[in-house]
Amino acid sequence: MPQDIYDKVMMLAKRRGFIYPSFEIYGGCAGFYDYGPLGSRLKQNLENLWRSFYLLKDNCVEISTPTITLFEVLKASGHVDEFTDLTVDCKKCKQSYKVEGIIGEGISVEKAIKNNKVKCPTCKTILKNPYNVNLMFSTKIGIGQSRDAFLRPETAQGIFTDFHLLYRHAREKLPFGVVQIGKGYRNEVSPRQGIIRLREFSMAEAEIFFDPNDKTHPNFKDVKDEVLFLFDNEKEMEITLEKAVQTGVINNQALAYYMYLTQEFLMTAGINPEKFRFRKHSDDELAHYAVECWDAELFSERFGWIECVGIADRSAYDLISHMESTGTDMYALRKYDEPKIVDVKKIVPDMGKLGPLFKDKAGKIKTLLENMDVKDNEKIFVDIDGKTVEVPSNCYKIVETKEKQIGEKFVPHVIEPSYGIDRILYCILEQNYAEVKKKDEEYRLLKLKPEIAPIKVGVFPLVSDERLVKIAKIVDKNLRNAGIATYYDEGGTIGRRYARMDEIGTPFCVTIDHDTLKDKSVTIRDRDTTKQDREKIEDIIRHIKNKISC
RNA sequence: GCGGAUAUGAUCUAGUGGUUAUGAUAGUGGCUUCCCAAGCCACUUGCUCGGGUUCAAAUCCCGGUAUCCGCACCA
């Protein structure tokens, strides 16, 4: 017998084609799951609902970037270093430890290893041969002189590396938002808990770029009196957006607004408000790139509170990182009301001298000189390929000019709502799973919201009378042509067909019966009430569309 | 990765060192023409993988894999 709701949900998910273990005929592989026919559709609907919030309500744009990401990108973003743990094994205790976690504070990892200071916390054996564990999947691009790459651990970097182009696309106005829905990959040590912790997972991320001096949101005023459900690690509280920002509970309007958008999205997707809350990250659990982060947590009877969405203020961390490692301009411009005329001192390199002296380095030095702050009567040094080199004073001139400045440059800050689609999808299944007794028999149904249900309408002839079948097939075809996902079924009894639809979360069933032949009306049955309305055939499409519209 | 438990059709489950592996659900075809999993008939699908012990292994032993629980990990 199934133990708990997780077992029951996963049982139903597998039996009905929502979720299968991947490669099962080869023994399966931990951390990988397939979405079956209904699961794929449910996921698509969930993603499209998400799009309606971010692309329509919030007017973001969507892009799509490769899942295979150059080493250099993830080196710059900090993932190569921060994602790596130096690990040692104790052969006696058969345990693995992070070196960082078992050495004393204030000692560097390198020193600790050199001086044999790495000891097993259990048996005090001196541990040797540390090795790096990186949670990213690595790969190579091309053969021969190949380039190192990783499967991306988040979709965000693709947006950051396109920033300068996207900023132009947004016609150089802030704030603007860019989203991406796609796969992310983390080579988890031991994934468990079904689709809660996958090695390949679906994420929906939005990066909204703000002027750091102005993290207000244009839509904030429309929603400022709405209530957020917060949890401060001790008690739950309800607070309006306006009050939360005023009192500093939430740092800025932008964060608060995206928290609200997240809350609305999840409620629309069928999350139970009582199984939902926002929790603020404490300082020591913040990711390496974040300065403030709120998680939307959803409650699972099996797993407790699950982190399903993270809404982080990443500040200018990522754009600065990529700018520093590539030299690409990732600034935005804050325009002055009136252009200013300012005196500017500039270094003008003399390439006639620089060239012969520095050869192939001359070009780089030229760029460095041009971007340098000018100080009078000081020697000029540049860092080139890790070396500090003096530039002789005859290689440049300092020129004073008047320049018109129309604004000041700054690196935008990023607010990032990041959604774990698979986790949300599991919680929707669990929270909408219901059992009732019908004639002493256990009766299962998924009370999925019509917006995301994989099948919207079951279409049945009451009996397999040819006249009814003919009409039913036409009704079914018309619904599908109108963009409504249907399931046509004439097998078994009518009760059995209703039951099949209830179990996969189909909100409505249209039945063609004997009265249809007389007055061209059909019954529309509601999944949750099992009540039936009669409607004219020509009104069905409009009627259903009304019920499933977001 | 460490320790423990488990593994039988699509799903759940009985089972014993010895013929053709139990039952239910689901599914398919037919009868029934039925508005909430009705009934009847027929049919489909299985012992996690590899090795060992044995005359004989789904059953006992070892190993792999997966799942669940605990520890560690989860930026």
Side-chain angles (χ1 to χ4, degrees), chain A residues 45 448-456 507-508 527 547-549:
Chain A
N45 292 345
L448 298 176
K449 285 284 192 87
E451 288 91 329
I452 63 162
I455 306 288
K456 313 295 186 194
F508 309 107
R527 175 193 65 209
K547 290 193 173 197
I548 62 178
S549 65

Side-chain angles (χ1 to χ4, degrees), chain A residues 462-512:
Chain A
L462 180 61
V463 295
S464 52
D465 177 321
E466 248 180 62
R467 291 169 304 168
L468 300 186
V469 168
K470 195 178 162 194
I471 298 171
K473 284 185 171 168
I474 292 169
V475 167
D476 176 62
K477 192 174 164 193
N478 288 344
L479 280 165
R480 281 186 284 110
N481 285 339
I484 298 166
T486 65
Y487 191 87
Y488 175 82
D489 193 353
E490 57 176 89
T493 62
I494 188 73
R496 182 178 295 274
R497 285 177 264 162
Y498 285 144
R500 278 198 273 253
M501 290 298 106
D502 286 346
E503 201 177 29
I504 62 169
T506 304
F508 309 107
C509 292
V510 169
T511 303
I512 286 75

Side-chain angles (χ1 to χ4, degrees), chain A residues 80-94:
Chain A
V80 172
D81 298 323
E82 296 292 332
F83 234 77
T84 303
D85 292 321
L86 199 60
T87 307
V88 280
D89 295 336
C90 178
K91 290 195 177 107
K92 217 163 144 190
C93 307
K94 292 190 175 173

Side-chain angles (χ1 to χ4, degrees), chain A residues 195-433:
Chain A
I195 60 169
I196 299 298
R197 235 172 119 195
L198 294 170
R199 288 185 165 127
E200 173 172 332
F201 51 94
S202 287
M203 56 205 309
E205 294 190 303
E207 314 296 330
I208 303 101
F209 298 95
F210 285 89
D211 182 334
N213 292 351
D214 182 17
K215 289 185 184 171
T216 59
H217 193 284
N219 294 348
F220 186 80
K221 60 181 187 308
D222 302 334
V223 299
K224 66 184 171 57
D225 298 322
E226 301 287 347
V227 170
L228 292 172
F229 300 96
L230 304 186
F231 177 70
D232 66 359
N233 288 315
E234 282 175 18
K235 60 182 190 308
E236 312 209 356
M237 59 174 174
E238 297 183 12
I239 187 167
T240 65
L241 274 78
E242 187 170 46
K243 200 176 170 199
V245 174
Q246 267 171 12
T247 55
V249 172
I250 298 169
N251 180 271
N252 57 64
Q253 277 192 12
L255 268 176
Y257 175 76
Y258 287 104
M259 286 167 70
Y260 174 71
L261 201 65
T262 297
Q263 188 172 292
E264 282 300 292
F265 163 69
L266 292 171
M267 297 305 127
T268 311
I271 290 299
N272 179 347
E274 290 177 5
K275 295 181 175 178
F276 166 87
R277 71 185 188 191
F278 281 113
R279 190 179 67 80
K280 189 176 179 174
H281 275 206
S282 56
D283 290 347
D284 59 354
E285 64 183 313
L286 284 172
H288 67 274
Y289 48 70
V291 294
E292 178 167 341
C293 184
W294 287 86
D295 281 345
E297 298 185 323
L298 305 180
F299 188 76
S300 154
E301 279 176 40
R302 164 73 81 94
F303 304 116
W305 289 98
I306 303 171
E307 169 193 344
C308 291
V309 184
I311 303 165
D313 187 337
R314 295 177 77 131
S315 69
Y317 178 89
D318 299 277
L319 292 184
I320 289 175
S321 303
H322 290 305
M323 190 160 63
E324 282 177 350
S325 50
T326 64
T328 305
D329 189 330
M330 298 242 177
Y331 289 107
L333 190 70
R334 190 184 296 129
K335 278 191 180 157
Y336 299 130
D337 295 336
E338 292 284 322
K340 288 181 187 172
I341 308 294
V342 286
D343 295 326
V344 189
K345 286 180 188 169
K346 266 190 160 177
I347 302 175
V348 179
D350 182 347
M351 294 314 285
K353 301 254 167 52
L354 265 182
L357 193 57
F358 290 101
K359 307 248 176 347
D360 60 328
K361 308 273 189 335
K364 272 189 185 172
I365 292 174
K366 174 174 182 267
T367 317
L368 288 168
L369 288 176
E370 283 170 347
N371 291 318
M372 215 169 238
D373 289 333
V374 181
K375 289 169 196 151
D376 286 325
N377 307 321
E378 269 184 34
K379 287 181 178 174
I380 292 184
F381 296 92
V382 291
D383 291 324
I384 189 106
D385 295 342
K387 282 184 199 158
T388 305
V389 184
E390 186 182 349
V391 184
S393 58
N394 65 339
C395 291
Y396 59 86
K397 287 200 183 82
I398 293 179
V399 180
E400 274 192 45
T401 54
K402 287 200 186 298
E403 218 171 63
K404 190 166 92 171
Q405 291 185 348
I406 57 165
E408 59 183 318
K409 296 201 292 183
F410 63 93
V411 181
H413 278 204
V414 175
I415 302 289
E416 176 198 69
S418 171
Y419 295 65
I421 295 290
D422 313 277
R423 290 182 171 192
I424 295 170
L425 192 140
Y426 170 76
C427 290
I428 288 171
L429 288 177
E430 188 192 296
Q431 293 186 9
N432 290 280
Y433 177 87

